[in-house]
Amino acid sequence: MLAVCALLLSAKVLAWEGQVSVTTPNTQMLLHAWEGGDLRVAYYGTKGATLEELRNAGDELNASALPVFGTVDMVQLPALQVQHADGDLNLELRVKNYELRKDGNAALHVFTMEDRLQPVTVKVYYKAYSRVDILETWTEITNNEKKPILLKRYDSGHLVLRQGDVWLTHMHGDWAAEAEPVMEPVTAGLKTIRNTDGARNSHLDAPEVMLSLDGKPQEQTGRTIGAALCWSGNYELRVNTVMRREHHLYAGIDPQSSEYVLDPKQTFQTPHLALAFSTEGMGGVSRTFHRWARTEGMLHRGMKVGDMLLNSWEGLYFDIDEGRMKAMMDDIAKFGGELFVMDDGWFGDKYPRNNDTSSLGDWVVDKRKLPNGLKALTDAARERGIKFGIWIEPEAVNTRSELFERHPEWALQTKGRELRLGRGGTQLVLDMTNPKVQDFVFNLVDTLLTNYPDIAYIKWDANASIQNYGSLYLPKDRQNNLYVDYHLGLLNVLQRIRQKYPDVVIQDCASGGGRANYGLLPYFDEFWTSDNTDALQRVYIQWGTSLFFPANAMACHINHCPYWNTGGRVIPVKFRCDVAMSGRLGIELQPKDMTDEERQQCTRCFQDYKQLRPIVQTGDLYRLVSPYDRKGVASLMYVDEGRTQGTLFVYKIDNYYNQPLPRIRLAGLDPDATYTLTEKNVRVGQQPCSLSGKRFTGRFLMEVGIEVPLREEYASRVFELK
Ligand code: DGJ
C-alpha cells in the first residue's frame, strides 16, 4: 500500500495502489482505489486519520467517491449518469491511473477512470490548497464513442458523511430579501436545493450550504463542512439520507432541461465544488472561504480594498443629466469619497432610456442628457480627484431598441412561440451561446474602456431570468445545452475582458444579489448585495451573505429615508452608516436632499471608515450575536491577521422598555494582548460612549465581554480595537 504524501509532487503518473490522502494544512480527505477497482472515499475531516485507524475504529465509510448509475445500488443516488450512443444507460467506472501534480498553491490529484464496456473516460479531480483549508473537486467526462452521448446527470462532486445529528444550513430568499440562513436537521430522505432562473442563481436559494456535524449549528464551535458550487447557472444540491449509516451530499448543474449532448472527442468539465472543513463552527467555515476567495484568485479583487463611492441609482433613478452627474460628483468628493458611479439611464439614441421599457442594447450616449458625452464626465471626475464608473446590462435587450430591430434573432426564443417579456414589459435575454453575441458583449466593454480609459469601474447588471427557453443559434439537437452553454459563453466573454482589462473594477449585480456566486467572482471585484438598502434589513441580508462571501466583495450603501422598499421606514443616519461600514462602504441617495446632520454623519463615517477599511475589508470575520437569535442586538467584528487590531460593530435591532441586552463577548483576539477600545463614527452631537478609551485584555473581552451602551431605538456603535 502506498500512502501518497502531498509533498511528493510530481508531474509524472505515479505508480499507485491503495490509499491517497488529499490534504490541506488542517484537513484531509482519504480516498482509496486499486487499479481496475472503483474510487472510494473513506473520510473527510481533521488531518491525521489513516485508513487502518478508521477500519480499527469500525468507522470506515468506504463509499463510492462518484456514484454512477449502473454501478451504485439503487438505494444510493447517482452523481453521474450517461446515455451512450447505443442507448445503454449504465456506467461501470474502473480506475486506470492516478496522477499528482502541482497547480499553483495546490496539489492536484487526478483519478482517471474508464467504463468497462463503452469508450467513455471520466477524470475525477481533487485540488488541495496548501495555504487554506479548501478542497475543490470536479470531473471531466470525455466522449470517445463514435456518436454523441447524453450527460443525463453530471454532478461536480459527492461527499459522504457518517449519519448523526447533522444539520443543514442553506440560504433562502427573494429579490430584496436575499440570503436568509435556514437551519434544519438532516432527516431521512432527500432534501433538494435548486435554482432554475437560468441566468442568475442566488436570489431565491444559493449554491452554497453548510453541514454541521455536531448538532445545531454554532458560530464558534463544532465540526462544520462548507460546500460552494462555483457556477453561475442552474444547480441542484441534494442531501440524501438512506437507511444505512450515511448522509450523502451531491452538488452540480441542475440536469432538468440540461441533459447535455456531448459530441465525440469532446470533454465536458463540470464546475468546481469547493469544500471546507472546520472545527470552529460556521465562523470557521466562513473565514476559510473568505481567505480562499481573497488569496487564491476566487475574488478578482483579492486582498485589495474597494473604493468609497456614490452610486446614482436610488438618488436619481433614470433622471440622468450632465448637471446632476457633476453635482453628485461634487458631493461625493466633499464627503471624502473616491468614486462616482453613473447608474442606469445614460444611453439610447432612437429610444432614450427614460424608464425600463426600452433601449437595452443601444449602448450609445443619449446626447439629450449628456451633450458633451462621457468624456465630459470622466474629465469632471478627474478634476474633482475622484474616479468614474458606469452602469451597463450587457446580456439584455429590450424589444424597443435599435439592437432588437437589427438582430431580433440574438434574443433567446423559440421560433413560433410568443415571447415572454420581462422587466418593463419589453426585456429579453441575449443568446450568450452565440459567438456573435459574445463578441457584441465583449465589444461593448472594450469600446467603453478603449474610448474612455478613465473609466475605472463598471457595474454589470442582469435583470432578467431566461423566460424564453430556446436558441436560434444552437442546432435543433443541441437545444438541451442552452442553460449550460449560456454560462460558458458568459465566462468566455469575462475571460476575454479580464485578459485585456485586469485592473478595471467590475461589480457583479443582478437586481441586487442575484449573482453572488463563486462561478463569477473570479472575474468580478464585488457584488451588489441587495436592491434592498434598508439598514435594518441589511443587517440580516449581510449576515447571511457573509456565511460564504468576504466583506470586500459585499457592496453596502447608505440609503435615504423614508425608504420605499420597507414601507417608508425611517432609520437614523448613524445606524445606516454603521451598517454600511461593515462591508464595502458606499452611498446610494441624492446628497442634495440630505439634512445637515446627515451630511456631517456621512462625512465622519467616510473619514473613520478610511482608517478601519483594511481590517473590515480584508480581516477575519467573527459573527458574535446573530440578528436571527432575537436578542435585541446583532454584533460582528473583524480582526487583522496578527490579532493586533480589530473593528467591532454592534446594532440595536429591537427596542422596548426594560430590555435585557446581552453582553458582547468578542472573538478572534490574542487573550494575552491588551486592546484599547475607541469609538468611531460617533453620533453627531454626542460624545464617545463610556467604553471609549478603556483598555482590556483579549481574554477579558472574549470571556467576560462588554456592556455596550445602546439606549435609543436603532442605537449602534462602532469601535476600533488596538
Ligand atoms: C437593478 C440594480 O440592482 C440596481 O442597483 C440598479 O442598477 C437598477 N437595476 C438599474 O436598472
Side-chain angles (χ1 to χ4, degrees), residues 313 343-344 391 423 459 461 463 509 511-512 528 531:
W313 180 245
D343 208 285
D344 199 351
W391 178 95
R423 187 182 182 199
K459 176 170 175 178
D461 208 344
N463 292 301
C509 173
S511 314
W528 181 223
D531 268 352

Side-chain angles (χ1 to χ4, degrees), residues 261 469 471-481:
V261 184
Y469 189 95
S471 161
L472 298 184
Y473 168 75
L474 291 174
K476 274 201 294 260
D477 55 1
R478 294 295 181 280
Q479 292 292 313
N480 281 16
N481 296 7

Side-chain angles (χ1 to χ4, degrees), residues 360 394-399 401 403-415 417 419-421 426-434 436-437 440 465-474 479 482 486:
L360 292 173
E395 301 152 69
V397 66
N398 289 114
T399 50
S401 70
L403 179 68
F404 192 71
E405 286 168 358
R406 275 198 313 277
H407 287 296
E409 79 286 3
W410 281 8
L412 288 172
Q413 61 194 277
T414 302
K415 231 184 189 144
R417 293 201 183 274
L419 288 172
R420 266 176 298 156
L421 301 163
T426 60
Q427 186 160 342
L428 294 169
V429 178
L430 289 175
D431 184 356
M432 293 297 289
T433 72
N434 183 341
K436 287 196 178 131
V437 175
F440 171 81
S465 322
I466 296 181
Q467 296 192 68
N468 302 285
Y469 189 95
S471 161
L472 298 184
Y473 168 75
L474 291 174
Q479 292 292 313
L482 168 56
Y486 181 94

Side-chain angles (χ1 to χ4, degrees), residues 307-356:
D307 286 330
M308 298 182 287
L309 62 85
L310 166 63
N311 186 62
S312 68
W313 180 245
E314 290 188 17
L316 285 175
Y317 296 105
F318 295 98
D319 259 347
I320 300 263
D321 72 19
E322 190 177 309
R324 292 189 187 109
M325 297 297 91
K326 287 184 176 166
M328 280 190 149
M329 289 187 212
D330 285 334
D331 288 315
I332 184 66
K334 272 190 222 140
F335 287 136
E338 298 150 325
L339 167 70
F340 170 70
V341 182
M342 175 170 68
D343 208 285
D344 199 351
W346 59 269
F347 54 93
D349 180 17
K350 179 171 170 190
Y351 302 103
R353 177 78 169 170
N354 294 330
N355 51 47
D356 60 9

Side-chain angles (χ1 to χ4, degrees), residues 225-241:
I225 291 170
L229 186 71
C230 309
W231 180 239
S232 51
N234 295 348
Y235 55 81
E236 189 176 72
L237 272 55
R238 298 173 294 161
V239 180
N240 193 32
T241 302

Side-chain angles (χ1 to χ4, degrees), residues 461-667:
D461 208 344
N463 292 301
S465 322
I466 296 181
Q467 296 192 68
N468 302 285
Y469 189 95
S471 161
L472 298 184
Y473 168 75
L474 291 174
K476 274 201 294 260
D477 55 1
R478 294 295 181 280
Q479 292 292 313
N480 281 16
N481 296 7
L482 168 56
Y483 277 143
V484 173
D485 285 355
Y486 181 94
H487 289 274
L488 297 180
L490 173 61
L491 291 176
N492 174 34
V493 172
L494 290 168
Q495 277 151 10
R496 286 169 68 190
I497 292 172
R498 278 314 187 186
Q499 231 157 31
K500 192 158 175 193
Y501 302 104
D503 296 330
V504 66
V505 173
I506 314 185
Q507 184 187 76
D508 163 12
C509 173
S511 314
R515 271 185 170 172
N517 64 62
Y518 280 116
L520 291 181
L521 281 183
Y523 309 97
F524 288 90
D525 295 273
E526 58 178 37
F527 55 85
W528 181 223
T529 312
S530 177
D531 268 352
N532 191 339
T533 49
D534 174 278
L536 181 59
Q537 196 157 356
R538 272 297 188 110
V539 169
Y540 292 84
I541 294 171
Q542 291 168 198
W543 189 273
T545 307
S546 81
L547 289 193
F548 282 88
F549 299 103
N552 65 341
M554 285 166 51
C556 304
H557 295 183
I558 302 162
N559 74 345
H560 60 95
C561 284
Y563 189 59
W564 67 277
N565 227 339
T566 42
R569 180 149 56 202
V570 176
I571 293 181
V573 65
K574 154 80 175 144
F575 188 96
R576 286 182 267 149
C577 288
D578 289 356
V579 172
M581 283 172 88
S582 69
R584 199 279 286 133
L585 172 70
I587 181 164
E588 185 91 21
L589 44 67
Q590 170 53 283
K592 117 172 136 42
D593 297 340
M594 292 167 90
T595 63
D596 280 351
E597 187 203 328
E598 285 178 323
R599 282 174 177 278
Q600 278 178 46
Q601 193 73 59
C602 282
T603 312
R604 184 173 293 179
C605 156
F606 272 53
Q607 260 167 16
D608 287 355
Y609 182 77
K610 215 166 187 168
Q611 293 164 9
L612 302 174
R613 172 166 60 180
I615 293 174
V616 170
Q617 289 200 25
T618 65
D620 275 331
L621 167 70
Y622 289 84
R623 288 178 296 258
L624 305 175
V625 185
S626 169
Y628 290 99
D629 287 348
R630 310 238 66 87
K631 297 209 164 114
V633 294
S635 178
L636 59 126
M637 66 182 286
Y638 296 95
V639 183
D640 74 338
E641 215 185 334
R643 297 191 295 166
T644 58
Q645 294 183 49
T647 307
L648 170 68
F649 297 91
V650 190
Y651 310 115
K652 189 175 189 190
I653 55 173
D654 239 338
N655 190 45
Y656 51 91
Y657 176 70
N658 224 359
Q659 181 180 12
L661 291 178
R663 249 173 204 272
I664 305 298
R665 292 202 296 145
L666 280 61

Side-chain angles (χ1 to χ4, degrees), residues 42-63:
Y43 174 78
Y44 179 45
T46 314
K47 201 160 151 181
T50 61
L51 262 187
E52 205 180 358
E53 281 174 304
L54 289 164
R55 273 182 199 139
N56 291 344
D59 195 24
E60 187 198 352
L61 285 167
N62 192 19

